[in-house]
Amino acid sequence: MAIKKIMVVDDSPTERAYMQGMLTKRGYEVVLVDSGETAIERSKADQPDLILMDVVMPGLNGFQATRAITRDESTKHIPVIICTTKDQETDKIWGLRQGAKDYVTKPLNESELIEKIKALG
């Protein structure tokens, strides 16, 4: 399955805009979401090919949203890559335990992220 539509989940408008620009210039369709709660609802409706999930958000955090998405019958097929702050090894491990397929660290290395997206597609 080629990845075409990517959902970006981040509570920072700056981060969302950065990700949207980086991904759209590479031909991906981008769906922007600002919370874990909304990500769960929108993943069911929009059925993206991939979700990039920030782990730190107010309310339902990225770990909780990842767990809900990867365990729901209608969305468990959607791979999730968590985005965590540099050097937070526990975040990486916890994200993978919640069902994420991979992780990237912030600040993002664009080429590394694109390689991971292509590897899942």
Side-chain angles (χ1 to χ4, degrees), residues 18 22-23 25-26 28 81 104-105 107-119:
Y18 171 76
M22 177 186 57
L23 294 168
K25 77 179 181 185
R26 287 174 171 80
Y28 295 105
I81 296 178
V104 293
T105 57
L108 290 174
N109 176 321
E110 289 185 29
S111 59
E112 176 189 8
L113 176 60
I114 297 304
E115 284 179 31
K116 290 182 179 214
I117 291 171
K118 289 179 178 179

Side-chain angles (χ1 to χ4, degrees), residues 25-68:
K25 77 179 181 185
R26 287 174 171 80
Y28 295 105
E29 177 185 347
V30 179
V31 177
L32 299 176
V33 177
D34 65 358
S35 72
E37 293 91 342
T38 306
I40 294 168
E41 296 167 15
R42 293 282 304 273
S43 64
K44 292 176 185 179
D46 292 339
Q47 291 291 305
D49 301 315
L50 173 69
I51 299 172
L52 297 176
M53 179 79 68
D54 185 35
V55 297
V56 180
M57 292 180 280
L60 193 67
N61 68 39
F63 300 124
Q64 295 163 318
T66 296
R67 183 174 56 241

Side-chain angles (χ1 to χ4, degrees), residues 4-8 19-20 23-24 28-32:
K4 297 177 183 169
K5 185 185 336 182
I6 299 175
M7 178 179 288
V8 174
M19 296 286 280
Q20 182 178 31
L23 294 168
T24 55
Y28 295 105
E29 177 185 347
V30 179
V31 177
L32 299 176

Side-chain angles (χ1 to χ4, degrees), residues 34 71 95 120:
D34 65 358
R71 285 165 176 73
L120 290 171

Side-chain angles (χ1 to χ4, degrees), residues 4-15:
K4 297 177 183 169
K5 185 185 336 182
I6 299 175
M7 178 179 288
V8 174
V9 185
D10 198 305
D11 67 329
S12 165
T14 304
E15 290 283 336

